[in-house]
Amino acid sequence: MKQKISISAQLQSQRRIYLLSLIAILLTILSCTANQKNIKRISLIGVGASFPAPLYERWLLDYNQKNPNVEINYQAIGSSAGVQQLIEGTVDFAASDVGITNEEAAKIKRGVIALPLTAGSIVLAYNLTPIAHQSPQVKVPTVLRLPRQVYVDIFLGKITNWNHPRIAAANAGVSLPDLPIQLVHRTDGSGTTSVLTQHLSAISPEWKSKVGAGKSVAWQVGIGGKGNEGVTALIQQIPGAIGYVEYIYAKQNKLPVAALENKSGNYITATPESVAQTLEAVKLPADNLITFITDPTDAQSYPIVTYSWLLTYHQYPNRVKAQALKNFVDWALIEGQKSSLELGYIPLSKKVVIQVQSAVKQIAE
């Protein structure tokens, strides 16, 4: 009898332990659910350059997976429009391939900080493949070579056909098509346009005097597309087209790109190595971290390279937003750089990362 009572007591004790454990688990689940509800969701809005857009999209997706309470939206509307919205105070941050001018910065009462977050190249992509299929006599070069003054004159409208003697001379053994050149350029205010036209102005006095440099210029010839994606689409659609886009857009759409003659007389194709070679010689000024490489001198440098800047306010009324943006930038400078090469961008050097990390600390201080 005593043994039966002992066994019954043990069973009752085990049931109590089980019930208490179950209650503890349920309370933990309820507590976690309550905490999740109490987590404040933060939303940030940015606009600007299409140059870094594919990389930003990847970053924002990766960052949100690790930080689900932080939602960051970015729209590629062009550097000019991005800077303007920052001036008007309608966004939390902007992006520009030419940073920001002193005149523009002076209009922002809350102050502005320019942070280079990535770098890349601008390429001249072209479309001659359909012609090769139509005409067996035409032998399209694997890599089209374009001398410095030849691509300047294409943009000036002075060279108008693909079988022009000056193009043929740089591509010996290749029979180029008798086909009109269809130049494609940007219609929107663009940092990509500014970088290209700064380069053209640096290597051609005629271009500098007739057209000059800027985010929007008076093009001598050609048709326009909006954003890097618009120019890319037109190049794909038009036989004989050539236009300027950020490297990743040509890479993603499998468009061939020209090897450009650099200052040393070498024909260089945009690669991570040739672009990094250009950036290696660049020193960012300590005051605003903005500089341009209009005509690099290194023998193996690709000639059209730029940083791309994230523009933040110096002061934010909402300190939670300010901290969220600082956290994202800190992540982009370390973890985010790991996906740069995969997408065709150039990771920042350790020296530049340290400079940017120092500048980020100034946000909301």
Side-chain angles (χ1 to χ4, degrees):
M1 183 69 177
K2 289 180 179 179
Q3 186 178 3
K4 287 183 179 178
I5 292 171
S6 177
I7 292 171
S8 176
Q10 287 179 5
L11 289 172
Q12 288 180 0
S13 177
Q14 287 175 355
R15 287 194 191 101
R16 284 195 209 97
I17 292 171
Y18 173 78
L19 287 171
L20 288 171
S21 299
L22 183 61
I23 290 169
I25 291 170
L26 289 172
L27 287 173
T28 301
I29 293 171
L30 290 171
S31 175
C32 290
T33 303
N35 287 339
Q36 286 179 354
K37 288 182 179 178
N38 290 332
I39 292 175
K40 188 173 182 180
R41 295 195 176 277
I42 303 164
S43 179
L44 298 170
I45 299 174
V47 296
S50 61
F51 180 106
L55 181 60
Y56 282 7
E57 289 169 7
R58 171 70 173 273
W59 282 355
L60 297 182
L61 179 62
D62 291 348
Y63 189 75
N64 182 252
Q65 288 178 345
K66 295 185 178 181
N67 302 272
N69 62 313
V70 180
E71 183 181 354
I72 307 176
N73 294 301
Y74 181 76
Q75 292 185 12
I77 61 174
S79 295
S80 286
V83 171
Q84 185 57 39
Q85 289 205 25
L86 194 75
I87 291 171
E88 294 170 0
T90 57
V91 293
D92 298 305
F93 65 91
S96 169
D97 301 329
V98 287
I100 188 167
T101 66
N102 292 333
E103 291 76 16
E104 291 167 336
K107 298 177 183 178
I108 302 176
K109 295 180 181 179
R110 291 156 59 185
V112 62
I113 300 173
L115 307 169
L117 286 194
T118 190
S121 55
I122 296 167
V123 298
L124 301 188
Y126 59 91
N127 177 0
L128 293 179
T129 304
I131 303 304
H133 292 163
Q134 294 168 16
S135 175
Q137 288 76 33
V138 173
K139 182 182 177 184
V140 175
T142 305
V143 178
L144 180 72
R145 291 182 164 199
L146 290 179
R148 287 155 75 84
Q149 292 309 312
V150 165
Y151 62 82
V152 169
D153 285 346
I154 288 174
F155 279 98
L156 285 171
K158 296 169 73 173
I159 294 179
T160 60
N161 202 288
W162 280 108
N163 66 355
H164 192 282
R166 288 168 62 195
I167 300 178
N171 295 274
V174 173
S175 178
L176 291 162
D178 182 8
L179 178 72
I181 293 173
Q182 303 288 343
L183 181 68
V184 185
H185 57 73
R186 292 280 288 271
T187 55
D188 53 320
S190 157
T192 305
T193 297
S194 181
V195 173
L196 172 77
T197 54
Q198 285 184 66
H199 171 68
L200 296 178
S201 294
I203 68 174
S204 169
E206 183 179 6
W207 177 273
K208 186 175 181 179
S209 63
K210 285 186 176 180
V211 183
K215 288 181 279 190
S216 295
V217 297
W219 296 101
Q220 304 292 289
V221 292
I223 58 174
K226 186 176 181 181
N228 274 285
E229 61 278 12
V231 173
T232 300
L234 287 172
I235 296 170
Q236 289 177 306
Q237 295 164 16
I238 302 171
I242 185 170
Y244 61 98
V245 293
E246 200 278 323
Y247 171 78
I248 185 59
Y249 289 87
K251 178 183 177 183
Q252 287 181 340
N253 292 280
K254 296 180 170 58
L255 284 173
V257 300
L260 304 182
E261 184 187 12
N262 66 13
K263 193 167 188 175
S264 297
N266 297 320
Y267 288 92
I268 307 294
T269 304
T271 64
E273 294 76 20
S274 63
V275 175
Q277 189 90 11
T278 305
L279 293 171
E280 189 64 30
V282 177
K283 184 178 181 181
L284 291 171
D287 57 344
N288 64 8
L289 302 185
I290 298 175
T291 192
F292 303 106
I293 316 106
T294 57
D295 191 20
T297 57
D298 188 89
Q300 298 305 313
S301 288
Y302 181 75
I304 315 178
V305 171
T306 185
Y307 283 103
S308 187
W309 289 265
L310 188 80
L311 305 175
T312 77
Y313 294 108
H314 181 60
Q315 295 292 336
Y316 284 84
N318 186 330
R319 295 190 69 85
V320 175
K321 276 193 173 186
Q323 188 59 52
L325 186 56
K326 290 171 76 170
N327 292 345
F328 167 70
V329 174
D330 283 336
W331 176 90
L333 287 170
I334 304 299
E335 293 300 318
Q337 298 300 310
K338 296 175 183 177
S339 54
S340 295
L341 277 176
E342 177 189 339
L343 293 177
Y345 296 88
I346 307 303
L348 301 177
S349 68
K350 290 182 180 179
K351 177 179 64 177
V352 172
V353 167
I354 291 170
Q355 284 184 277
V356 179
Q357 285 174 327
S358 177
V360 171
K361 292 176 183 178
Q362 300 173 28
I363 298 175
E365 289 189 354

